[in-house]
Amino acid sequence: MNVGDARYIRLTTYTDTGQPRHVLVWATDLADGEVAFTPLSDSWKVKRIGGNPRVAIEVSNMWGQVAVDTPRHTGTARVVEGTEFEHVRSLIDRKYRLELALSRLTAPILRAVGRGVIVPPTDRAVVVRLDS
């Protein structure tokens, strides 16, 4: 399976001191060995990528847990905006149509009971060029 075709991907970014930080992302496959996702523009993962563009990605389950025999892919990340972002967002919207619809449906209910948050829209995407 192509890593970008997986439902859930664990992204590893690195702090200024080199410490790994793992986070689950919804990603999509792009042409020519690239994978992309749409984080919040001011998220820590975007900030860490700005300081160190080296990342690793692994197929995971919906809780970010990686199986023992799962291959680890390394690459270089870059933040994109404009038409590149719009393209990535359209692919994410298509791939995760059901999940996005459910989150939009349940968000007002969760906020009403004090369990939800308002997630601002994003205007950036991260594209990872995987190493050969």
Side-chain angles (χ1 to χ4, degrees), residues 63-78:
W63 297 280
Q65 298 165 328
V66 177
V68 174
D69 59 345
T70 300
R72 181 178 175 94
H73 305 273
T74 58
T76 304
R78 62 188 170 87

Side-chain angles (χ1 to χ4, degrees), residues 101-118:
L102 286 172
S103 68
R104 288 181 188 120
L105 180 67
T106 59
I109 298 165
L110 291 172
R111 279 195 301 275
V113 297
R115 305 253 336 184
V117 296
I118 297 174

Side-chain angles (χ1 to χ4, degrees), residues 14-26:
Y14 300 93
T15 66
D16 292 340
T17 62
Q19 293 298 312
R21 295 290 183 252
H22 310 292
V23 65
L24 180 71
V25 296
W26 289 352

Side-chain angles (χ1 to χ4, degrees), residues 5 17 22-25 43-44 50 58 61 77 79 92 108 114 121 126 131:
D5 294 333
T17 62
H22 310 292
V23 65
L24 180 71
V25 296
S43 68
W44 278 105
E58 299 159 287
N61 64 19
V79 178
I92 293 285
V126 172
D131 297 335

Side-chain angles (χ1 to χ4, degrees), residues 42-95:
D42 63 348
S43 68
W44 278 105
K45 60 185 135 315
V46 170
K47 293 173 186 174
R48 286 190 295 270
I49 287 168
N52 180 356
R54 296 297 300 162
V55 298
I57 58 174
E58 299 159 287
V59 174
S60 71
N61 64 19
M62 66 188 306
W63 297 280
Q65 298 165 328
V66 177
V68 174
D69 59 345
T70 300
R72 181 178 175 94
H73 305 273
T74 58
T76 304
R78 62 188 170 87
V79 178
V80 300
E81 298 175 337
T83 56
E84 280 186 277
F85 159 71
E86 294 294 338
H87 176 66
V88 170
R89 185 174 66 178
S90 70
L91 294 173
I92 293 285
D93 287 351
R94 189 176 314 132
K95 181 176 178 180

